[in-house]
Amino acid sequence: MCVRKICLPAMVFAAFVLTANLAWALGFQLGETKEQLKLKYDVAVTDHGTGRVTVTLMLADEGRIAPLDRGVDLVIPSKDGTGHVDLSLALERRKVDGKQVMSIHMTRELAERGEIHLKTDTLDGKQTPLTWYYHSIPLAGYLKEAGLKKK
């Protein structure tokens, strides 16, 4: 009986302590434009004429969302409009001539739905607990430009 009185509160306390680290931060999409965020990037799309495209993001300046400590992701939203994601992929960043460069090779159909998310914990150098932000770069507009210049 005494063991139950000691063990039950100890297990409840341990459950609270162990689950406290599982709290997830909320991510908010920034509604500001590239210019308002002082971002300097270029997106180049190469249409290979085979139903596949290569998308290259060249990021020269992270602007007001520096540093991108949560990374850069390719996100493919689901077709049904529920807000779920069919694919989310962290992109590898490499330095070329002082710029961060990321490349993705995928089918044109996925690229038409795709977005690149620049993710950070800070905005204007300020961090809010359990909050992160992302700037979305929809790829559809860049694909239309590349459709005129097939390789």
Side-chain angles (χ1 to χ4, degrees), residues 20-81:
N21 291 333
L22 297 177
W24 293 94
L26 293 176
F28 295 104
Q29 182 174 0
L30 296 169
E32 299 174 67
T33 65
K34 170 183 172 180
E35 292 77 21
Q36 290 170 327
L37 291 171
K38 299 180 182 174
L39 291 168
K40 293 181 183 170
Y41 63 80
D42 293 312
V43 178
V45 177
T46 303
D47 189 341
H48 300 286
T50 61
R52 299 193 176 275
V53 296
T54 300
V55 178
T56 303
L57 172 68
M58 293 157 284
L59 181 63
D61 188 359
E62 297 175 354
R64 294 176 41 214
I65 62 173
L68 295 176
D69 43 11
R70 284 192 170 256
V72 179
D73 291 354
L74 169 69
V75 176
I76 310 291
S78 66
K79 291 180 183 178
D80 57 14

